[in-house]
Amino acid sequence: MPSWTYSITIINNTDRTLELVSSSVPWGNKEKDFPKTINAGATGEFSVYSPAGAPWGLEFYFTMRDKPNSSEECNYGSFSFSVDMPYWKYENRSSLTCTGILTQSGFQKIPDGSHDFATTATISTTLTSDKSPTDVSEYNDRYSWTNAEKLEVVDPDEVVIEDVIPDKNILTSRKTVLRTDKSSVSQNLWNQIKDTKFPDAYSKKHFVSDYFTVMLYEIRKNKTISIAANQSYNKTLEISNRSTVRRETREELQIENVVNGSGGPEKFTLSETLRIQYQISNLSEYCEEDMKSVREEFNYDAIETDRNVVLWDLAQVLALYRTDIKGNTELIGIGDYYVTDIQKTYIKDGASEYDEPELECANSQENYNADDDNAYVSIIQGTVRINNVNYRWREASFGGLNRGLEFNPGNHRYKFRPNPHDDPYYNKHQVTWYESMASQIAHVGNTSATPWTQNNWPSTIRNLKVNGITYTAEER
């Protein structure tokens, strides 16, 4: 019977020397001595054979680890190899496993029945490997920190959808426009982060310098209605708000899975901390199964030019990043959440489109300017989420200058006291004022000891603060 041979070549792709910790050859002979060390960038070969005619197969093992350059540095980890080619069985076994932040690529297991085999394995670290085990390269292009860092930093309470909707009808269907400031995750919560590159407490402690989150704001085209010149439009459409991010990412990258670790002795889990910090009801609330659709009427009179009506959604994108000790920052968790929507009409003028100053739709209330009976003013409206239910809100008039808000489903109508017109700020910032008031009401509903349902809202809502003034909303 001819001789049996097995050879594995180790390529050291780390920045440190690899040293042999232990080795054993129960069956077989070494072709040459196993390398004691493999320098950074060098290779080492482990080769064993069974002589021709010998009544045994091959079996050998070895373990190597990196050698720190100084006593202040910590080990990257170790890797262990084993192969068993039994003489009396058609069943070969081989493995190469790594610990810590060491990784391997290229290793191939020996097929059953094979008597001569060679393979090569490249040993690297997660500090230098090109791809994350979750392979999020596409999302690192769209939501990479390199791109996100360039966005304007805003206070979440000052984000106004009208300010971020483009004046011209851009071709892209989504665009990230703003972000909040960085917020570092407390180190006592790092153990709750499922980081595939730095999976254990040891690697996080010694090779990660920071985990941080930001909230990105993104506008998305939900629906576009094209209306030809001299044509009116009157139709009821179904409008759905879907998660874009969750349809595009694998489960291991979704934020609710990345921070799904148990709280342990800490008072709050990381999941709870993020929900409170960014006012999110549930980290998975925008999942496909939680998607809700509403039927909405669109009504536009005929005009002399072509136009496009675009329904824009504003979404929050919660992104979790990791910065390692070498300064590399990578996205490791992401989730998106619907905030509100707005309709915008773009008039076509030759080859270009521009913003139509007035938005005429069926949900708009016909309020008129006292100085000009023909001056149309569109209603202010939006969407909030209260106890996992999406409500559409709109400005409501109760005669004269009395104003309030209406919420649906449920037809909940409220009048404000004192009169908002008494505040000069209201008269010049009505859109911002109503958005702030709707958010205040949503906050009260989401924190109420008695949960609000679609058909059960309180008759009076107190302590609503907008522009430093405290309001009371009374049911009408």
Side-chain angles (χ1 to χ4, degrees), residues 50 77 92 130 161 205 221 277 297 343 405:
S50 178
N92 292 330
D130 294 333
I161 187 171
K205 177 181 178 180
K221 285 184 179 179
Q277 178 180 354
E297 184 182 358
Q343 299 169 32
L405 279 176

Side-chain angles (χ1 to χ4, degrees), residues 346-409:
Y346 298 94
I347 302 296
K348 292 184 178 181
D349 182 14
S352 63
E353 289 185 272
Y354 60 89
D355 174 28
E356 183 181 21
E358 302 296 347
L359 175 63
E360 304 172 10
C361 64
N363 284 342
S364 296
Q365 178 182 357
E366 293 189 1
N367 298 325
Y368 292 91
N369 187 303
D371 297 329
D372 184 355
D373 289 341
N374 295 320
Y376 182 89
V377 181
S378 62
I379 194 73
I380 302 169
Q381 56 187 311
T383 305
V384 293
R385 190 173 179 87
I386 302 175
N387 293 328
N388 296 321
V389 176
N390 286 331
Y391 291 89
R392 295 192 66 81
W393 60 262
R394 52 177 279 177
E395 175 191 4
S397 174
F398 299 103
L401 296 178
N402 293 318
R403 292 290 182 267
L405 279 176
E406 176 182 325
F407 294 80
N408 279 292

Side-chain angles (χ1 to χ4, degrees), residues 405-452:
L405 279 176
E406 176 182 325
F407 294 80
N408 279 292
N411 193 30
H412 305 290
R413 291 167 60 84
Y414 290 89
K415 176 183 175 181
F416 299 122
R417 177 169 52 83
N419 192 326
H421 285 280
D422 295 338
D423 181 9
Y425 174 87
Y426 168 89
N427 298 310
K428 293 184 178 180
H429 305 86
Q430 292 190 15
V431 172
T432 302
W433 191 95
Y434 278 106
E435 288 178 341
S436 298
M437 178 58 75
S439 296
Q440 283 281 297
I441 292 174
H443 175 72
V444 173
N446 284 321
T447 58
S448 173
T450 303
W452 296 9

Side-chain angles (χ1 to χ4, degrees), residues 1 6 15 108 134 174 205 223 328 354 438 443 471:
M1 185 182 71
Y6 186 99
D15 57 356
Q108 294 182 342
T134 53
R174 56 199 282 208
K205 177 181 178 180
K223 192 176 293 289
N328 303 311
Y354 60 89
H443 175 72
Y471 293 88

Side-chain angles (χ1 to χ4, degrees), residues 274-290:
L274 293 177
R275 287 194 295 106
I276 294 171
Q277 178 180 354
Y278 293 109
Q279 299 182 16
I280 300 170
S281 299
N282 189 300
L283 290 186
S284 60
E285 69 179 38
Y286 203 8
C287 292
E288 192 75 17
E289 57 267 25
D290 293 333

Side-chain angles (χ1 to χ4, degrees), residues 13-148:
N13 197 36
T14 75
D15 57 356
R16 296 178 180 177
T17 296
L18 297 175
E19 60 180 356
L20 187 65
V21 177
S22 63
S23 65
S24 174
V25 187
W27 297 100
N29 301 319
K30 297 178 183 178
E31 290 276 4
K32 57 184 176 181
D33 289 340
F34 289 169
K36 301 295 183 182
T37 60
I38 304 175
N39 293 331
T43 63
E45 184 181 20
F46 296 78
S47 183
V48 174
Y49 72 95
S50 178
W56 61 78
L58 290 178
E59 183 180 357
F60 75 98
Y61 312 89
F62 68 86
T63 297
M64 301 193 80
R65 66 185 176 194
D66 67 288
K67 185 177 181 180
N69 296 317
S70 67
S71 59
E72 289 78 21
E73 294 182 337
C74 299
N75 283 100
Y76 291 150
S78 64
F79 67 93
S80 297
F81 166 83
S82 68
V83 65
D84 182 12
M85 300 166 59
Y87 183 79
W88 297 109
K89 285 185 180 180
Y90 189 80
E91 182 181 348
N92 292 330
R93 292 178 297 177
S94 61
S95 67
L96 181 63
T97 58
C98 298
T99 67
I101 66 169
L102 288 182
T103 65
Q104 69 84 19
S105 61
F107 172 76
Q108 294 182 342
K109 292 184 177 181
I110 183 173
D112 287 339
S114 179
H115 296 160
D116 293 282
F117 193 77
T119 187
T120 299
T122 300
I123 303 299
S124 306
T125 73
T126 54
L127 292 171
T128 57
S129 59
D130 294 333
K131 285 190 176 183
S132 165
T134 53
D135 191 14
V136 296
S137 55
E138 176 185 352
Y139 263 69
N140 270 330
D141 288 341
R142 179 177 291 277
Y143 298 116
S144 70
W145 180 239
T146 301
N147 293 328

Side-chain angles (χ1 to χ4, degrees), residues 130-348:
D130 294 333
K131 285 190 176 183
S132 165
T134 53
D135 191 14
V136 296
S137 55
E138 176 185 352
Y139 263 69
N140 270 330
D141 288 341
R142 179 177 291 277
Y143 298 116
S144 70
W145 180 239
T146 301
N147 293 328
E149 189 176 21
K150 300 174 184 176
L151 297 173
E152 178 185 354
V153 178
V154 294
D155 184 328
D157 294 332
E158 297 178 358
V159 177
V160 179
I161 187 171
E162 286 84 357
D163 295 342
V164 297
I165 299 303
D167 293 333
K168 294 186 177 181
N169 190 11
I170 59 177
L171 292 177
T172 182
S173 61
R174 56 199 282 208
K175 183 179 180 181
T176 309
V177 290
L178 301 168
R179 71 169 175 90
T180 62
D181 206 352
K182 292 171 56 176
S183 177
S184 291
V185 177
S186 175
Q187 286 195 17
N188 63 355
L189 298 177
W190 284 14
N191 64 309
Q192 299 177 37
I193 298 175
K194 294 184 177 180
D195 189 340
T196 51
K197 278 193 172 183
F198 302 92
D200 51 41
Y202 176 86
S203 59
K204 286 183 173 70
K205 177 181 178 180
H206 295 291
F207 303 109
V208 174
S209 62
D210 191 22
Y211 288 103
F212 65 91
T213 59
V214 297
M215 185 66 82
L216 308 172
Y217 292 89
E218 186 171 276
I219 55 171
R220 300 169 178 171
K221 285 184 179 179
N222 188 314
K223 192 176 293 289
T224 299
I225 304 170
S226 297
I227 308 174
N230 301 314
Q231 296 290 321
S232 61
Y233 186 94
N234 189 343
K235 186 178 292 187
T236 299
L237 302 176
E238 185 174 89
I239 305 299
S240 300
N241 301 114
R242 303 169 180 265
S243 167
T244 300
V245 167
R246 281 181 173 79
R247 293 202 309 272
E248 296 175 340
T249 58
R250 290 196 291 252
E251 290 186 0
E252 59 264 33
L253 185 62
Q254 294 170 8
I255 190 71
E256 65 270 21
N257 297 323
V258 175
V259 300
N260 201 27
S262 61
E266 292 83 16
K267 184 176 180 181
F268 291 107
T269 65
L270 178 55
S271 175
E272 290 170 335
T273 301
L274 293 177
R275 287 194 295 106
I276 294 171
Q277 178 180 354
Y278 293 109
Q279 299 182 16
I280 300 170
S281 299
N282 189 300
L283 290 186
S284 60
E285 69 179 38
Y286 203 8
C287 292
E288 192 75 17
E289 57 267 25
D290 293 333
M291 181 196 72
K292 289 181 172 62
S293 299
V294 297
R295 296 188 66 80
E296 187 168 328
E297 184 182 358
F298 292 81
N299 187 6
Y300 292 87
D301 294 332
I303 61 175
E304 295 180 352
T305 55
D306 296 336
R307 56 190 155 160
N308 284 323
V309 180
V310 178
L311 179 61
W312 290 97
D313 285 350
L314 176 65
Q316 294 177 320
V317 180
L318 176 57
L320 171 64
Y321 298 91
R322 177 237 303 121
T323 301
D324 62 35
I325 59 172
K326 291 184 177 293
N328 303 311
T329 298
E330 183 178 10
L331 176 74
I332 64 169
I334 193 167
D336 58 346
Y337 309 92
Y338 168 77
V339 178
T340 187
D341 58 58
I342 191 173
Q343 299 169 32
K344 196 175 186 79
T345 304
Y346 298 94
I347 302 296
K348 292 184 178 181

